[in-house]
Amino acid sequence: MPWNRPLIIGLLVVLLALTWWRLQPEDEEIRRSQLMMGTVVEIMAGGQGFDKLDAAVDAAFAEMARLDKLLSSHNPDSDVSRLSQSDHGGDVAAATAEVIALGLEVAQRSDGAFDLTLGRLKSLWGFDQETPTVPNRDALATALAGIGPEALSLEGQQVNKRAPQLQVDLGGIAKGYAVDRAIAVLKQYGVTSAAVNAGGDMYLLGQRSRRAKHPERFWRIGLQHPRQKDAVLETVQVRDRAVVTSGDYERFFEQDGIRYHHIFDPQSGLPARGCQSVTIIADSVALGDALATAVFVLGPQAGLLLLTQYPQAEGLIVATDGSLHTSPGWAAYQVTP
Amino acid sequence: MKTPWHFMTAGDWLVVLFLLTAALAGIAWVAAAPEGTRVVVTSGEQTLFIAPLDQPRSVDLDGPLGQTHLVIDEQGVRITRSPCPRKICISMGTARHRGDLLACVPNRILVHIDSSAEEAPYDLLSR
């Protein structure tokens, strides 16, 4: 064979490869936001077929709206409101029972650092109102009476209250559960790449889809620095994982030079003081939500001890003094600078 | 002894030249794939909103006079509603090229088209 033939064939191959690379269809990506559950919920879905993605995102939002009606303490007809108003409890929807079951499990394993019965305490502080205030000691004692991991019990879909005055509050876990359900709906529609983000509590399904000049890759999530507003503490990369952060910087007020935030220690009724922020990477957002709160309340040492009971979860804790504490598996998610 | 070049006919040279040119053009074609451009909205020194230009959406942006309504679609980005008295920002039309600017001075909203040749360091922020 004349020597020039391989040269020509080689050039042809290069040309074909370049054409193939350039003409490969890019994934479509839909990004939509709605105000619900007291926050901005954003859903991104990527892949082929705009109509399919659009229908999937619609259905995911509808599922979250359905759960908001069941689990919100602001809706007087919700399961949560009915439980709070009743003396002894009552039957709830399967979804509500599932949320309560997970919440009670974390409450027990964390010795009450996570608590589903802080409704009266949260109302007392008034973080949902325009002017939150520091309650007096007697009011705190009254609001904490009867709470704890044993305050609620669950038999099937029947919830029992230990004391009539208990006010159920699923705020620390309901949003995460709704995100998990939205992801389940997206999967049912065949979506393989998506992110559902409810005010920073998020689940990342599959990989970030292929876009212009950027190949498919793991999702990269920046973690808010707790003391520098426009700074990122670090970046993690994940797929098929929930990322949840609880921090003392999100909702707080200052009185007499003291900063009061919205994550309460159920033992004292006061804002927990062991951490600035906690980020959990877990296999579900609901679990991540509950663990982030529990670890925040427990502080770095006890918090890391709690995480050893959950092999499907890893955590990054910023302690009150700014020091960083991580669970053993955290490093696997860190993006190497 | 004859070198391999002596076996090349004029036609061979023509084919090689054509393929070489096509391959180089192909490389340039791949390199010139559309870069990610984005819409950046600021008010004073504060960044209010950043979004990719290639993802249709609409958004209300708060300014001192009220809400300015911004639409991003396949044509680019434009202001469709504004509380300002003279609506100059609406009459500015659509911005889509790098460096294009829309401004609503009374409502202190500045919209410009930025280029993000590099990917953002992260996709979402957990807070």
Side-chain angles (χ1 to χ4, degrees):
Chain A
M1 185 170 67
W3 79 274
N4 56 334
R5 295 288 161 78
L7 176 65
I8 290 171
I9 290 168
L11 282 170
L12 269 172
V13 168
V14 169
L15 200 60
L16 282 172
L18 287 169
T19 306
W20 174 83
W21 167 258
R22 186 67 179 87
L23 295 181
Q24 213 181 17
E26 283 169 15
D27 286 341
E28 308 225 38
E29 192 170 83
I30 286 184
R31 183 191 286 236
R32 297 225 313 262
S33 309
Q34 282 189 21
L35 279 171
M36 56 168 60
M37 310 195 93
T39 190
V40 179
V41 176
E42 183 173 57
I43 300 182
M44 292 167 64
Q48 299 290 316
F50 182 88
D51 290 344
K52 184 188 84 172
L53 294 174
D54 198 42
V57 171
D58 275 347
F61 273 126
E63 174 67 354
M64 292 186 81
R66 182 185 76 85
L67 291 169
D68 191 17
K69 283 183 184 166
L70 278 178
L71 304 174
S72 166
S73 56
H74 298 297
N75 173 11
D77 298 324
S78 71
D79 275 356
V80 169
S81 296
R82 286 194 303 101
L83 281 177
S84 293
Q85 287 155 13
S86 73
D87 287 343
H88 305 293
D91 283 330
V92 294
T96 311
E98 198 177 344
V99 175
I100 291 175
L102 175 62
L104 290 178
E105 196 249 345
V106 176
Q108 279 157 9
R109 287 200 194 190
S110 66
D111 289 331
F114 181 74
D115 197 302
L116 296 175
T117 52
L118 295 183
R120 280 193 305 162
L121 181 72
K122 290 183 179 178
S123 298
L124 192 60
W125 279 88
F127 270 89
D128 288 339
Q129 292 146 25
E130 281 190 16
T131 51
T133 50
V134 182
N136 65 43
R137 192 180 295 265
D138 289 344
L140 281 176
T142 305
L144 295 176
I147 70 158
E150 313 299 332
L152 295 179
S153 61
L154 187 68
E155 293 168 37
Q157 289 178 224
Q158 165 79 32
V159 181
N160 302 306
K161 286 169 70 175
R162 187 170 60 179
Q165 78 275 14
L166 285 171
Q167 299 282 302
V168 178
D169 184 277
L170 303 182
I173 191 169
K175 205 165 60 176
Y177 180 79
V179 173
D180 290 331
R181 288 298 310 148
I183 287 289
V185 169
L186 292 171
K187 282 183 183 173
Q188 283 168 11
Y189 275 75
V191 175
T192 55
S193 168
V196 180
N197 178 9
D201 294 355
M202 61 187 77
Y203 190 95
L204 298 314
L205 174 66
Q207 305 211 89
R208 184 81 203 267
S209 55
R210 181 178 183 273
R211 290 143 304 122
K213 287 187 82 173
H214 303 305
E216 196 176 57
R217 57 158 173 75
F218 277 36
W219 293 87
R220 291 185 195 138
I221 308 301
L223 309 181
Q224 172 71 49
H225 194 295
R227 290 294 178 266
Q228 296 171 35
K229 194 179 173 196
D230 296 322
V232 167
L233 182 67
E234 64 176 64
T235 303
V236 294
Q237 53 184 357
V238 294
R239 64 169 294 171
D240 298 324
R241 277 288 176 278
V243 181
V244 176
T245 299
S246 285
D248 65 2
Y249 49 86
E250 276 289 281
R251 290 155 72 192
F252 69 90
F253 66 96
E254 289 189 0
Q255 188 172 309
D256 301 327
I258 301 173
R259 179 187 176 111
Y260 297 95
H261 62 82
H262 71 296
I263 307 170
F264 300 110
D265 182 342
Q267 286 204 332
S268 66
L270 298 170
R273 296 297 183 193
C275 304
Q276 292 179 2
S277 74
V278 172
T279 298
I280 300 292
I281 297 177
D283 59 353
S284 81
V285 191
L287 177 64
D289 251 352
L291 286 178
T293 303
V295 170
F296 193 103
V297 169
L298 289 168
Q301 279 72 38
L304 287 177
L305 202 58
L306 173 66
L307 288 180
T308 60
Q309 298 183 50
Y310 293 92
Q312 72 274 45
E314 300 293 342
L316 165 68
I317 303 168
V318 184
T320 307
D321 61 4
S323 59
L324 301 183
H325 306 260
T326 57
S327 60
W330 180 265
Y333 296 110
Q334 288 176 303
V335 174
T336 310
Chain B
M1 183 185 151
K2 286 186 175 178
T3 64
W5 302 106
H6 286 92
F7 294 103
M8 296 279 279
T9 65
D12 287 340
W13 279 114
L14 211 59
V15 170
V16 168
L17 196 66
F18 169 75
L19 287 175
L20 208 58
T21 307
L24 288 173
I27 289 169
W29 189 26
V30 167
E35 293 186 346
T37 52
R38 57 186 189 159
V39 180
V40 179
V41 182
T42 54
S43 179
E45 291 183 357
Q46 193 185 359
T47 302
L48 298 180
F49 177 74
I50 298 176
L53 191 56
D54 59 357
Q55 290 175 5
R57 68 172 71 195
S58 60
V59 63
D60 286 311
L61 302 157
D62 287 323
L65 297 184
Q67 288 192 326
T68 296
H69 190 70
L70 196 73
V71 171
I72 303 172
D73 59 21
E74 62 280 2
Q75 295 173 345
V77 57
R78 62 187 187 281
I79 294 171
T80 57
R81 278 201 312 272
S82 172
C84 60
R86 297 175 61 193
K87 318 291 183 200
I88 292 173
C89 52
I90 297 175
S91 64
M92 292 175 84
T94 301
R96 61 175 174 275
H97 300 297
R98 190 185 311 177
D100 280 357
L101 203 65
L102 302 174
C104 181
V105 177
N107 208 25
R108 294 183 192 164
I109 301 284
L110 191 65
V111 181
H112 70 274
I113 308 293
D114 194 4
S115 173
S116 55
E118 294 295 318
E119 267 201 302
Y122 53 83
D123 302 309
L124 296 165
L125 184 66
S126 178
R127 55 195 310 170

